[in-house]
Amino acid sequence: MNIALNVNTRIYRIAISVFFFVAGLTFSSWASRIPDIKTKLHLGDAGLGLILFALPVGQIVSLPISAALVSKFGSRTLIIVGALLYPLTLVLLAISGSSLMLAFSLFVFGLWANLLNIAMNTQAVAVENIYGRSIMASFHGLWSIAGFTGAVIGTLFVSASISPLIHFSIICLVTGMLVWAAYRHTVPNDAQPENGEKQPLFVRPDKRIFLLGMIAFFCMVCEGAMADWSGVYYQKVVQSGEALKTVGYVAFMGTMATGRFAGDWLVTKFGVVKILKISGILIAIGLIIAVVMPTMVAATAGFLLVGFGVSSVVPVVFGLAGKSTNMTPSAALAAVSTISFLGFLIGPPVIGFIAELSSLRISFLVIAALGFGTTLLAGKTRKIG
């Protein structure tokens, strides 16, 4: 990279952290109001699961396009576009008056979410290269802090009977101000592969990238389940009452944030393999606790464990992918994201359909089994870093 070593690298780190915060706040704001929008449109479990399918479809469709755009125009330009349009789509979600309109809005939401995701992680890889040590988990920690913040704000707004439209409009205003303050301090040049060769816009992922994608896939299934179904689970299974239906998601986001800020240190101390194995075990145990003992205290304790389990997986995987020696960071991240976001694609409708056929508790057991897949694949990472 053509960046002098004596620049104020902390400014870059703070600026990119702001964009991770914007992304996390936007997504959790949507997630906190899913039960309200479900009620507004009179959707059943299967119907909601099918509509939620539109968001990851938008993400999957945009992945190769986002990677190509970032490779062509640079992550600095695209991170601004994504950070402005992603929160703005919340308003479209709030005013959706039909299932079809909601599905379309979620598709668009997914498009902008992924553009921002690829651009900001490409910037994060560039900053990590400047630092010369692992800092990726701290960026994702800011996403989780924002997610926790958004979940708390959502809980307060739900308790105060503030409509999703007003809620989302406030989020748009706040995120717009944050983007305005941070965009001038983003990294001007993206990192390049070590071999120095010019890369095509579309690259077929090798075995290393595919394995990383599958590890992230199992984690993303669980993360998507928490985002889309935790509120519904608390309503229908835990029977928490309207005012406390977001408690599980708040607990999950809180421990995910905590785990991510400790993630860089933990990976350095214990290694990638051990951290990934423990992560899958925590995910499975946490979900099983919530299923076997669906009380307020026990379910919340289970969701706390799931948050710890999920916390380090994606940052570790993205950090390894971004250091690919034969692909640009944006291409490698897009390839891993394409595989991992299938977890978001599969998770919500699977939960909905299984819940329709049996119960939400059974569907959460299936997600627990998938989460354990992270542990089963972790040993193979000995060959990749």
Side-chain angles (χ1 to χ4, degrees):
M1 294 183 59
N2 298 321
I3 298 177
L5 294 178
N6 61 350
V7 299
N8 189 351
T9 54
R10 183 170 292 276
I11 294 296
Y12 290 133
R13 187 173 183 176
I14 293 172
I16 304 310
S17 295
V18 168
F19 285 94
F20 275 84
F21 189 90
V22 166
L25 183 63
T26 299
F27 183 77
S28 63
S29 296
W30 151 248
S32 70
R33 303 309 294 257
I34 289 175
D36 296 296
I37 293 175
K38 178 177 182 284
T39 301
K40 171 188 171 183
L41 297 181
H42 307 290
L43 297 171
D45 290 339
L48 177 63
L50 186 60
I51 290 172
L52 291 174
F53 192 78
L55 193 156
V57 167
Q59 291 174 311
I60 294 294
V61 168
S62 71
L63 277 165
I65 301 171
S66 296
L69 290 173
V70 171
S71 295
K72 183 174 178 60
F73 298 106
S75 60
R76 190 180 199 185
T77 299
L78 275 300
I79 198 174
I80 298 167
V81 175
L84 291 174
L85 294 178
Y86 182 39
L88 190 60
T89 313
L90 285 171
V91 176
L92 193 61
L93 291 166
I95 63 176
S96 296
S98 67
S99 298
L100 183 61
M101 181 62 180
L102 180 60
F104 172 77
S105 301
L106 280 172
F107 178 82
V108 175
F109 195 56
L111 293 177
W112 300 131
N114 194 67
L115 178 64
L116 177 57
N117 177 59
I118 297 298
M120 70 185 185
N121 276 285
T122 300
Q123 284 270 310
V125 168
V127 177
E128 189 173 66
N129 286 350
I130 297 172
Y131 269 75
R133 58 184 173 85
S134 176
I135 60 171
M136 182 64 75
S138 67
F139 286 119
H140 287 261
L142 261 296
W143 189 98
S144 300
I145 285 289
F148 178 78
T149 302
V152 171
I153 292 172
T155 300
L156 294 175
F157 281 6
V158 168
S159 299
S161 299
I162 295 174
S163 71
L165 179 58
I166 294 175
H167 175 185
F168 292 165
S169 297
I170 292 172
I171 296 299
C172 286
L173 178 62
V174 170
T175 54
M177 294 171 61
L178 290 173
V179 171
W180 179 83
Y183 81 94
R184 289 168 293 180
H185 306 293
T186 51
V187 183
N189 301 312
D190 296 340
Q192 297 300 320
E194 292 180 5
N195 61 22
E197 298 179 0
K198 185 176 180 180
Q199 300 296 305
L201 295 181
F202 301 100
V203 182
R204 182 179 178 180
D206 55 23
K207 291 182 179 179
R208 177 181 185 274
I209 294 298
F210 181 77
L211 175 59
L212 291 172
M214 287 304 300
I215 292 171
F217 167 87
F218 290 120
C219 175
M220 295 286 266
V221 168
C222 302
E223 189 172 339
M226 292 295 99
D228 291 347
W229 286 97
S230 60
V232 178
Y233 190 84
Y234 266 62
Q235 274 185 314
K236 297 187 66 174
V237 179
V238 179
Q239 297 182 341
S240 61
E242 191 71 13
L244 298 176
K245 64 187 175 185
T246 59
V247 167
Y249 186 62
V250 170
F252 165 78
M253 292 302 298
T255 51
M256 186 165 71
T258 303
R260 283 180 171 174
F261 281 111
D264 291 320
W265 178 82
L266 290 171
V267 169
T268 300
K269 184 173 179 62
F270 298 107
V272 168
V273 175
K274 187 171 291 186
I275 293 302
L276 290 177
K277 284 185 175 180
I278 293 172
S279 296
I281 292 170
L282 289 175
I283 291 170
I285 291 176
L287 286 171
I288 290 170
I289 289 173
V291 170
V292 175
M293 296 181 287
T295 63
M296 194 70 182
V297 173
T300 302
F303 281 27
L304 288 169
L305 289 179
V306 176
F308 277 125
V310 166
S311 62
S312 294
V313 178
V314 170
V316 166
V317 166
F318 277 26
L320 290 172
K323 293 177 176 60
S324 173
T325 58
N326 60 0
M327 298 174 70
T328 62
S330 60
L333 288 167
V336 169
S337 295
T338 299
I339 301 167
S340 63
F341 272 121
L342 287 172
F344 267 99
L345 186 69
I346 291 171
V350 164
I351 290 179
F353 292 137
I354 294 176
E356 196 78 11
L357 293 172
S358 55
S359 69
L360 270 176
R361 295 174 73 181
I362 296 298
S363 65
F364 268 57
L365 280 178
V366 172
I367 299 302
L370 292 174
F372 191 67
T374 298
T375 298
L376 298 179
L377 290 180
K380 297 182 181 296
T381 59
R382 295 182 191 279
K383 300 178 181 179
I384 60 174

